[in-house]
Structures are given as C-alpha cells and as structure tokens.
Amino acid sequence: MDKFTVLESVAAPLRIINIDTDMIIPKQYLKTIKRTGLGTGLFSEMRYREDGSENPDFVLNQPAYRNAKILVAGDNFGCGSSREHAPWALLDFGIRCVISTSFADIFYNNCFQNGILPIKVSPEDLEKLFDDASRGANATLTVDLENQEIRGPDGGSIKFDIDPFKKHCMLNGLDGIGLTMEKASAIDSFEKKLSERAWA
C-alpha cells in the first residue's frame, strides 16, 4: 500500500448526499476480485449515458477535474452494502482522499485498508471546501496527514481528527498484511522456538 503523507490536488466537488456503494461501483463490476481496472466503472451510472458516451455534466468528466485526487462529497458517503470494490474503484481512478461530514462505518474502514484517506469535517468546513473545489483547476487543496490539516488555495486551513493508529498505518503505507510483516522477525523467532520444543 502506498504511503499517504501530503497530497496536493484539484478537488472534485460532488454535492450529493447518501452516495452509496452501488453508486460508487455498480453491481455489474463486482465479478472481479482484482483491485485494478475498476476505475472505468467508478460512478458509471452518472459518468456515462445509455449509449456509453460520457455525460459532460458529471464532475469527473469535466476537464478541470479529470485528474482530481481529492473528492469533496455530501453527507453519509459510502453507505449501503459493504463491497470493498468501492474503495478499489476510487483508488484505481486516482482518488486518494475523500472529504465529507460523515461516512458509513464499513466503507470508512475499508478506505484505510486500501490507502484512501477519508476525512470527516464539520458542515461549515465542508461548505468552504465545496467553494474551493468549485474553482476547478484554479484552486488546489493540500491534505497534510502528519499535521492533520487541509490547506486551501487562499492560505486558510482546516484541522481534522483521525485515530492515531489509522494515521500511523497511512503514513507508513501499512495495511493488515503490512502490519503483520512488521512483526515478521518476532513471528519467525516464536515459530523457531515452538519447533525446537516439539523436537525436544
């Protein structure tokens, strides 16, 4: 998993509440267990018309936001079913950070396991970020995880809270496997002693 330290990017504003995981990645894309290739299906029912062409009104199809790595979204992001394909699709598209007032618990935790930083802010701060994001390519946000701060294009900043353990994992690029590998020498030592006892 890639480390998350400081991310500077244009932020795409998605002023929709209750975006569920089926909206993020519709069910027809769930046949794969690969984490790659799902970016094309991200928000597909909003991104594409029935004939398969792009919907020019959808934010991620607009030139200013095609390479956005930050998503500023409405309340209760990631609700619905617990499909892990949702953060996979966001990450495959290039989204590394989602900012909202609240997230569904399972989606929130799945983000951390897949290298996406979900940030909870107050409704007032979300409005400021929506304003910044609406300026498109003329404005970038900087997300500084170490200092737990979002810096706007005009020098303002917003502080955010995060669980210290989750912060440690993100800063060091550690998912569940990575955390286990940190203990590899202790595990090997234990296994060796156990094996020696068995043959004693």
Side-chain angles (χ1 to χ4, degrees):
M1 187 170 87
D2 290 339
K3 295 179 181 180
F4 191 112
T5 52
V6 177
L7 175 67
E8 184 175 348
S9 172
V10 165
L14 195 58
R15 280 185 175 272
I16 304 173
I17 63 168
N18 301 322
I19 292 178
D20 64 30
T21 51
D22 189 53
M23 292 168 71
I24 297 170
I25 186 74
K27 61 186 179 303
Q28 61 266 31
Y29 295 93
L30 304 185
K31 296 171 186 172
T32 181
I33 55 170
K34 293 180 182 176
R35 299 184 185 204
T36 56
L38 289 168
T40 56
L42 181 70
F43 299 120
S44 68
E45 291 177 359
M46 293 185 280
R47 273 173 70 199
Y48 305 111
R49 294 171 165 155
E50 284 188 18
D51 65 1
S53 63
E54 286 189 351
N55 172 7
D57 296 329
F58 186 66
V59 63
L60 293 177
N61 290 337
Q62 295 167 11
Y65 301 111
R66 282 189 180 274
N67 297 310
K69 292 179 172 57
I70 301 169
L71 194 62
V72 180
D75 188 53
N76 197 28
F77 190 89
C79 57
S81 66
S82 59
R83 63 189 67 167
E84 197 169 7
H85 292 70
W88 292 354
L90 286 162
L91 189 63
D92 193 58
F93 184 84
I95 303 292
R96 289 295 313 276
C97 178
V98 182
I99 305 170
S100 182
T101 51
S102 66
F103 296 87
D105 286 343
I106 294 174
F107 174 83
Y108 183 76
N109 289 309
N110 279 343
C111 281
F112 286 107
Q113 284 296 317
N114 289 282
I116 296 172
L117 179 63
I119 298 176
K120 297 176 186 176
V121 296
S122 69
E124 295 77 21
D125 285 339
L126 189 71
E127 278 305 311
K128 291 177 196 170
L129 294 168
F130 270 133
D131 288 342
D132 286 337
S134 68
R135 292 157 63 182
N138 296 319
T140 59
L141 297 181
T142 301
V143 178
D144 183 338
L145 178 55
E146 180 65 49
N147 294 304
Q148 295 177 215
E149 183 177 72
I150 304 166
R151 293 187 289 274
D154 299 323
S157 67
I158 293 168
K159 289 286 191 180
F160 61 89
D161 293 325
I162 185 172
D163 174 83
F165 176 70
K166 286 181 167 64
K167 177 179 177 179
H168 167 78
C169 291
M170 290 294 288
L171 286 171
N172 293 283
L174 299 171
D175 57 9
I177 294 170
L179 284 165
T180 302
M181 293 308 293
E182 274 195 323
K183 309 291 184 189
S185 59
I187 293 168
D188 290 344
S189 176
F190 174 80
E191 290 286 342
K192 185 178 178 186
K193 286 177 186 172
L194 199 64
S195 177
E196 287 168 354
R197 275 191 221 146
W199 289 100

